[in-house]
Amino acid sequence: MQIGILALQGGYQAHANCVNALGVSTRFVRKKEDFTDIDGLILPGGESSTLLKLIETFDLVSALKDFQAKKKPIYGTCAGMILLAKTVVPQQFSLGAIDISVARNAYGRQIDSFIAMSDAIESPDFGCAQMECVFIRAPRVQSVGEGVTTLLRYRAEPILVRQDHILAGSFHPELSQDRAVHQYFLAMISAS
Amino acid sequence: MSEHALRLKTGLAEMLKGGAIMDVTNAKQAEIAQEAGAVAVMALERVPADIRVQGGVARMSDPRMIKEIMSVVDIPVMAKVRIGHFVEAQILQALGVDFIDESEVLTPADEEYHIDKMQFEVPFVCGARDLGEALRRIAEGAALIRTKGEAGSGNIVEAVRHMRMLKTQIQHLKTLSSEALNTEAKKLRVPDALLRWVVETGELPVPNFAAGGVATPADAALMMQLGAQTVFVGSGIFKSGDPQKRASAIVKAVTYYQDPKILAEISEDLGEAMVGISISAIPLHQRLQDRGN
């Protein structure tokens, strides 16, 4: 198994470290040809306006859409979640891969960034009752569509959601010690 | 500072990796920078090249101008304070800026002490010429280190010197015995634990960016290949012939820094670069990098 990590800008190295620590190899994805031979893709956090600019300039939109059409798992964190969302507020281009509406920087500026424990986790899939979540200038999930399952919540709001082969979260598990979300994503790939 | 606070600070620096951070002096320039794909902007009244020419005391920018810039862009906004001027830092924190640069580009307010950055919730970036300086700033609470380079010179040579110095010193540390590390920590005037952390991991405990003299996409890619994780561009963009085009080229250069073919394409036809000055032509007392230690 090899996991691609979109390495245009942002926390790509931190994600690679997490996946590598779980014994799985990674490949940095910067060009169309890097999409071959990967079984899943992580879209890291960073600045979504920068990511969009680079994705458009280097013509990666069709490569991303093709990858998604093959039903291969994709996991987006923070800016990565914004890229995957169907609707973004304020309006900007996105892949529309998961039926959620996301507001950018909705928790405020850096001074409002925070670390908190998630609400109690009902699903046994994560092997823990609660999870530490790091929110940095985080986006907020405003609404989720019918086909979307909410896996984690913070103060009753969705922070990790899944629709089929797409996983999206507003927090940064790559900045915590707990590998449960990365393990969950790897299990999604194994099952696909 | 709590362990959480430190992780939130370095966490934002983590999200800025692989990007270009651009100096802007008004809302219009900030929009151009964001449109070009900058990961953050540094709001200041005069770019370093102008501070150098005009002289006088350079201070924190007018809060009104910083607020205007914060209102027109979604990306993080940084701003500079004078070395040791903790009240300027209090003001910037109250404004809600996302990162504070305790910068040698402004006229130092304290020749003895840097700001006690642990006392702040907002993260700080500080310049360094070598490992000792970097670790002293980290011990004071800096969440991000950048090379000092020589700001406003349009000349990359000092940034290269500082980045290479840092890397060479880290390599050297790894060859030292435990006793020798104790002595090295005293020599560098840094906490022993920090130094040992660097020996174990082979890198600084916070992200490490480049600044000071970046004028072209090739300069940006050079600093990335030398080990910088993001590049600050000061005077290099808005002192050039076609800021929009150059800004966009530098954004691409930090992503594709290992790809000479793409670098060749984006370096083409960018118009006039900023003129730049030879370091030997700068009188010693006007060298910005020697401020703060």
Side-chain angles (χ1 to χ4, degrees):
Chain A
M1 191 194 290
Q2 179 163 254
I3 310 298
I5 298 177
L6 190 72
L8 299 177
Q9 190 275 314
Y12 51 83
Q13 187 63 54
H15 273 292
N17 296 346
C18 290
V19 173
N20 295 153
L22 292 169
V24 176
S25 68
T26 48
R27 173 180 192 167
F28 285 143
V29 173
R30 295 190 171 100
K31 294 177 182 177
K32 282 185 206 172
E33 49 267 36
D34 299 330
F35 282 85
T36 51
D37 303 327
I38 56 170
D39 305 295
L41 178 67
I42 294 179
L43 309 181
E47 282 307 316
S48 69
S49 52
T50 306
L51 290 172
L52 273 182
K53 197 87 220 162
L54 291 163
I55 285 169
E56 284 167 4
T57 312
F58 291 92
D59 198 20
L60 297 177
V61 176
S62 58
L64 282 163
K65 287 196 163 162
D66 287 350
F67 190 82
Q68 180 204 336
K70 285 185 202 152
K71 297 279 177 195
K72 290 195 180 179
I74 307 180
Y75 169 33
T77 47
C78 199
M81 175 172 84
I82 298 172
L83 283 181
L84 290 172
K86 188 173 177 187
T87 316
V88 182
V89 180
Q91 204 275 325
Q92 68 182 31
F93 172 83
S94 59
L95 296 167
I98 182 165
D99 189 7
I100 55 174
S101 170
V102 173
R104 288 185 63 189
N105 299 338
Y107 289 96
R109 306 195 68 92
Q110 173 61 14
I111 203 92
D112 309 303
S113 292
F114 63 101
I115 299 177
M117 294 305 284
S118 69
D119 293 355
I121 302 172
E122 287 154 27
S123 159
D125 295 338
F126 296 96
C128 53
Q130 257 188 319
M131 196 183 300
E132 181 197 79
C133 302
V134 181
F135 295 91
I136 295 177
R137 288 170 49 92
R140 200 168 203 150
V141 179
Q142 292 183 314
S143 65
V144 301
E146 267 183 24
V148 177
T149 309
T150 298
L151 298 169
L152 286 182
R153 293 175 196 274
Y154 170 68
R155 293 191 174 166
E157 288 182 22
I159 55 171
L160 185 70
V161 291
R162 175 177 176 181
Q163 183 171 21
D164 303 324
H165 62 295
I166 305 292
L167 182 68
S170 52
F171 64 101
H172 293 280
E174 76 281 10
L175 299 180
S176 290
Q177 294 301 315
D178 194 333
R179 298 283 159 264
V181 179
H182 287 89
Q183 265 165 340
Y184 180 90
F185 182 59
L186 294 181
M188 274 173 68
I189 297 170
S190 298
S192 71
Chain B
M1 181 163 54
S2 74
E3 181 263 348
H4 274 190
L6 183 64
R7 281 168 64 206
L8 287 170
K9 290 173 176 180
T10 52
L12 178 58
E14 198 68 38
M15 293 311 133
L16 298 173
K17 282 184 177 176
I21 300 166
M22 303 180 189
D23 277 5
V24 296
T25 58
N26 56 49
K28 178 87 189 117
Q29 288 183 354
E31 281 174 327
I32 292 174
Q34 174 167 272
E35 176 55 30
V39 285
V41 291
M42 177 76 71
L44 75 178
E45 270 165 6
R46 296 184 285 170
V47 293
D50 288 336
I51 292 175
R52 195 176 275 295
V53 173
Q54 295 160 5
V57 173
R59 309 178 180 94
M60 178 192 81
S61 299
D62 184 341
R64 174 193 286 257
M65 170 268 206
I66 296 170
K67 274 159 62 184
E68 272 171 19
I69 288 174
M70 286 167 63
S71 73
V72 298
V73 294
D74 299 320
I75 54 180
V77 175
M78 305 185 172
K80 290 182 194 290
V81 299
R82 288 178 262 178
I83 290 173
H85 206 314
F86 53 88
V87 173
E88 285 186 347
Q90 290 165 2
I91 293 170
L92 290 187
Q93 177 162 285
L95 287 177
V97 303
D98 298 292
F99 236 106
I100 295 178
D101 185 4
E102 186 181 19
S103 176
E104 69 281 4
V105 166
L106 304 185
T107 311
D110 192 324
E111 295 191 329
E112 194 78 21
Y113 299 112
H114 278 71
I115 295 171
D116 180 6
K117 294 169 272 289
M118 299 280 186
Q119 304 302 322
F120 289 81
E121 280 179 63
V122 63
F124 278 76
V125 51
C126 288
R129 290 162 296 182
D130 54 40
L131 182 63
E133 202 172 8
L135 293 180
R136 288 194 293 278
R137 296 297 85 79
I138 293 166
E140 292 157 2
L144 172 61
I145 292 296
R146 55 170 175 77
T147 58
K148 281 180 165 174
E150 185 58 30
S153 69
N155 190 337
I156 199 66
V157 66
E158 294 300 302
V160 169
R161 188 193 317 283
H162 300 159
M163 187 57 80
R164 282 202 186 275
M165 174 63 84
L166 193 73
K167 297 280 167 188
T168 308
Q169 286 177 297
I170 291 176
Q171 280 306 319
H172 169 67
L173 280 187
K174 291 187 193 165
T175 66
L176 296 183
S177 65
S178 188
E179 303 90 307
L181 280 175
N182 291 332
T183 308
E184 190 69 11
K186 288 186 195 104
K187 210 165 84 187
L188 296 178
R189 294 181 285 134
V190 303
D192 196 58
L194 264 185
L195 199 68
R196 285 175 193 272
W197 201 96
V198 174
V199 174
E200 258 170 53
T201 60
E203 56 185 17
L204 293 179
V206 304
N208 181 18
F209 294 2
V214 175
T216 66
D219 288 347
L222 174 67
M223 294 314 299
M224 294 294 285
Q225 287 200 25
L226 287 174
Q229 294 159 327
T230 272
V231 172
F232 284 88
V233 196
S235 320
I237 289 173
F238 290 99
K239 284 286 165 191
S240 75
D242 188 343
Q244 212 145 1
K245 204 166 174 186
R246 186 165 295 265
S248 161
I250 289 177
V251 167
K252 293 168 195 160
V254 290
T255 296
Y256 295 97
Y257 67 96
Q258 289 164 312
D259 194 324
K261 272 191 187 154
I262 293 183
L263 292 175
E265 281 166 33
I266 60 181
S267 298
E268 209 172 286
D269 201 19
L270 293 180
E272 289 280 315
M274 74 177 279
V275 177
I277 35 182
S278 146
I279 301 299
S280 58
I282 304 173
L284 270 184
H285 70 277
Q286 285 178 15
R287 274 166 43 130
L288 301 177
Q289 60 179 285
D290 298 331
R291 294 168 164 183
N293 183 38

